[in-house]
Amino acid sequence: MKLGMEEMEASLSMSPYEALHHFASRSAVVIFSSSECCMSTVAKRLLFSLGVGPTVVELDRHAAGTAIHALLFQLSGPQQPLPAVFVGGKFLGGVQTLVATHIKGTLIPLLKQEGALWL
């Protein structure tokens, strides 16, 4: 699910930190992404293939995208900040963490626990 114009406009009055928190806690799974990022596409496709409909925030199409991206740099440490996957309002990590969590068999239980999957 992509953000609507109303949601994007409402976030313009927020600080970058408030916007990040607002979006990350908006639904069970949120991906901060760039529309041109191939790793973001991998993360989205993995989640869609599992039956998850994440909220996707395309930072290159958002007025506060640059500032939110800078915050994600701080949050992700030495890893590439995009895509940034949040599950249950908590930062899970990037595409490497997402895939590793899936391979370990802990992603689906986490998604079920947070209400992103029902089966």
Side-chain angles (χ1 to χ4, degrees), residues 7-80:
E7 181 101 29
M8 291 178 80
E9 287 175 8
S11 70
L12 294 177
S13 64
M14 301 176 193
S15 73
Y17 177 80
E18 290 170 327
L20 176 67
H21 179 71
H22 171 75
F23 291 136
S25 61
R26 182 172 186 275
S27 65
V29 179
V30 180
I31 300 175
F32 290 90
S33 169
S34 174
S35 59
E36 300 294 322
C37 175
C38 63
M39 291 295 114
S40 294
T41 301
V42 169
K44 289 182 263 188
R45 286 192 178 178
L46 172 59
L47 290 167
F48 286 131
S49 75
L50 295 173
V52 175
T55 296
V56 178
V57 182
E58 300 287 5
L59 294 179
D60 57 327
R61 296 182 178 166
H62 191 284
T66 303
I68 294 171
H69 193 198
L71 283 174
L72 291 169
F73 260 112
Q74 294 173 8
L75 189 61
S76 65
Q79 296 180 356
Q80 174 68 18

